[in-house]
């Protein structure tokens, strides 16, 4: 007797761009185990990565030198991976702060790799973590960028949950007033995804809410122009980006970069450090291959014999 394991639907919606090879690139909605998520098309382009002028004196040493990067087109998650999607794939939820539409947190880089392998097996697609360059280009708004300091605005509260606004009450002041004990007592916590304004590409929460792992091993920048960089070939640390709900204002900037060991997942927010989450990415060819299937709609039943 056959047992239905899961139903996966892939819907291609508005065509957004073409790749350099002329392949159509479209926003894509995927449903796994009853949980839908949207991938946003990012047209490839060239941008300045790192400590650009609008970052001013807040830029850290490891954001320098600013350098030119050229990227091919790709897809990136409209939001962080939610707890509902993680549970649909992994059948567990490691998050400290529970809510189906909240971002999954308390996951290591290695946990994310396991999740993505299982998701790819279920969907037949080729999801991955975004490279650090892809993450920053998308956070800046891609080719639609208006040069904001944060992902979608120069006013952080419009686009992000961070230390001042993510708790029971608003905490006034500046980063000079940052006090971990006060933040903890204020129950600073992640919120449902997509509650703040999106950036120029329609992406939510790329500043604040939870930190997001990138694919790259951590390394220093140099001034040379690069095309589709992927970071060092190996290393002890992986890159994470974006800021969390407990982060200072500077930590939520589009160029801020940090690193952590791949098997660590971050501590409880009650210790004033939010756990890590993730945002999915996929390369453009996966889209063109799906466009030829059933006029842009793919429905797959995964069936297993007992």
């Amino acid at each position: 007797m056959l047992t239905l394991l899961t139903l996966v639907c892939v819907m291609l919606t508005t065509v957004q761009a073409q790749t350099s090879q002329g392949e159509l690139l479209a926003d894509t909605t995927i449903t796994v185990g009853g949980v839908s998520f949207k991938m946003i098309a990012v047209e490839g382009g060239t941008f300045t990565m790192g400590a650009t002028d609008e970052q001013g004196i807040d830029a850290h040493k490891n954001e320098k030198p600013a350098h030119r990067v050229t990227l091919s087109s790709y897809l990136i998650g409209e939001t962080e991976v939610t707890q509902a999607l993680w549970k649909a794939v992994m059948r567990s939820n490691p998050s400290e702060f529970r809510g189906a539409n909240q971002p999954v947190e308390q996951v290591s880089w290695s946990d994310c790799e396991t999740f993505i392998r299982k998701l790819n097996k279920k969907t037949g697609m080729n999801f991955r973590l975004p490279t650090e360059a892809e993450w920053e280009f998308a956070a800046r708004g891609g080719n639609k960028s208006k040069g904001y300091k944060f992902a979608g605005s120069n006013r952080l509260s419009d686009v992000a949950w961070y230390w001042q606004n993510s708790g029971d009450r608003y905490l006034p002041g500046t980063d000079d007033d940052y006090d971990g004990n006060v933040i903890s007592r204020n129950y600073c916590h992640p919120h449902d995804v997509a509650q703040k304004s999106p950036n120029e590409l329609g992406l939510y929460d790329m500043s604040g809410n939870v930190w997001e792992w990138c694919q790259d091993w951590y390394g220093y920048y140099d001034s040379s122009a690069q095309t589709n960089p992927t970071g060092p070939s190996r290393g002890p640390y992986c890159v994470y980006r974006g800021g969390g709900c407990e982060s200072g204002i500077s930590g939520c900037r589009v160029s801020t970069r940090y690193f952590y060991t791949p098997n660590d997942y971050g501590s409880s927010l009650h210790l004033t450090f939010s756990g890590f989450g993730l945002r999915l990415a996929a390369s453009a060819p996966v889209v063109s291959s799906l466009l030829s299937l059933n006029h842009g709609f793919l429905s797959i039943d995964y069936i297993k014999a007992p």
Side-chain angles (χ1 to χ4, degrees):
M1 183 176 181
L2 298 182
T3 302
L4 182 65
L5 285 186
T6 186
L7 174 67
V8 180
C9 299
V10 180
M11 177 69 75
L12 302 184
T13 55
T14 307
V15 173
Q16 296 293 310
Q18 286 189 320
T19 71
S20 59
Q21 292 76 33
E23 297 167 319
L24 290 172
L25 188 66
D27 292 352
T28 307
T29 298
I30 300 97
T31 300
V32 178
V35 181
S36 296
F37 62 99
K38 187 175 183 179
M39 301 293 290
I40 299 295
V42 182
E43 181 185 9
T46 299
F47 75 110
T48 301
M49 184 173 181
T52 44
D53 289 345
E54 79 283 345
Q55 302 303 318
I57 61 173
D58 289 331
H60 301 155
K61 184 178 180 180
N62 70 349
E63 299 168 37
K64 303 175 183 180
H67 54 287
R68 299 291 281 172
V69 171
T70 299
L71 295 174
S72 301
S73 299
Y74 59 100
L75 299 173
I76 194 165
E78 180 183 41
T79 71
E80 314 94 299
V81 169
T82 63
Q83 294 176 31
L85 178 58
W86 185 278
K87 189 173 182 179
V89 174
M90 303 292 284
R91 299 186 178 182
S92 64
N93 183 2
S95 303
E96 174 76 13
F97 299 92
R98 298 297 179 93
N101 206 39
Q102 289 186 23
V104 69
E105 24 97 0
Q106 306 293 319
V107 293
S108 69
W109 185 91
S110 297
D111 293 334
C112 295
E113 292 294 292
T114 299
F115 166 81
I116 290 170
R117 284 195 299 272
K118 291 186 176 184
L119 178 63
N120 288 342
K121 186 176 181 180
K122 283 180 177 290
T123 62
M125 297 179 71
N126 191 27
F127 295 109
R128 55 178 173 80
L129 290 171
T131 66
E132 186 177 16
E134 287 173 339
W135 191 97
E136 184 169 325
F137 184 57
R140 288 179 177 271
N143 293 327
K144 299 178 181 180
S145 177
K146 297 180 180 179
Y148 293 131
K149 192 169 190 174
F150 310 106
S153 180
N154 286 325
R155 181 183 169 91
L156 184 57
S157 59
D158 289 345
V159 295
W161 299 108
Y162 64 110
W163 76 273
Q164 290 185 284
N165 68 357
S166 65
D168 291 338
R169 61 184 177 86
Y170 179 80
L171 297 175
T174 67
D175 277 358
D176 291 337
D177 302 301
Y178 189 99
D179 185 325
N181 292 324
V182 172
I183 293 169
S184 179
R185 290 195 298 271
N186 196 41
Y187 194 62
C188 181
H189 61 280
H191 291 252
D192 284 1
V193 301
Q195 298 302 298
K196 292 291 187 175
S197 297
N199 76 349
E200 299 94 320
L201 291 175
L203 303 173
Y204 294 89
D205 303 322
M206 294 203 78
S207 288
N209 216 17
V210 295
W211 295 95
E212 299 177 18
W213 286 110
C214 293
Q215 187 65 58
D216 305 36
W217 295 103
Y218 175 79
Y220 293 106
Y221 290 163
D222 64 52
S223 59
S224 61
Q226 301 177 49
T227 299
N228 294 324
T230 57
S233 59
R234 292 188 64 83
Y237 302 110
C238 296
V239 175
Y240 63 94
R241 290 293 207 115
C245 57
E246 88 302 338
S247 294
I249 296 169
S250 180
C252 297
R253 295 178 297 106
V254 293
S255 59
T256 302
R257 56 197 305 253
Y258 290 102
F259 56 90
Y260 218 51
T261 54
N263 292 321
D264 285 318
Y265 56 85
S267 59
S268 166
L269 202 62
H270 294 298
L271 300 176
T272 70
F273 190 84
S274 66
F276 301 119
L278 74 154
R279 186 180 300 258
L280 294 169
S283 299
V286 70
V287 180
S288 61
S289 65
L290 287 172
L291 281 169
S292 64
L293 294 172
N294 200 21
H295 305 289
F297 181 76
L298 176 65
S299 179
I300 305 172
D301 288 339
Y302 288 87
I303 300 174
K304 177 182 178 183

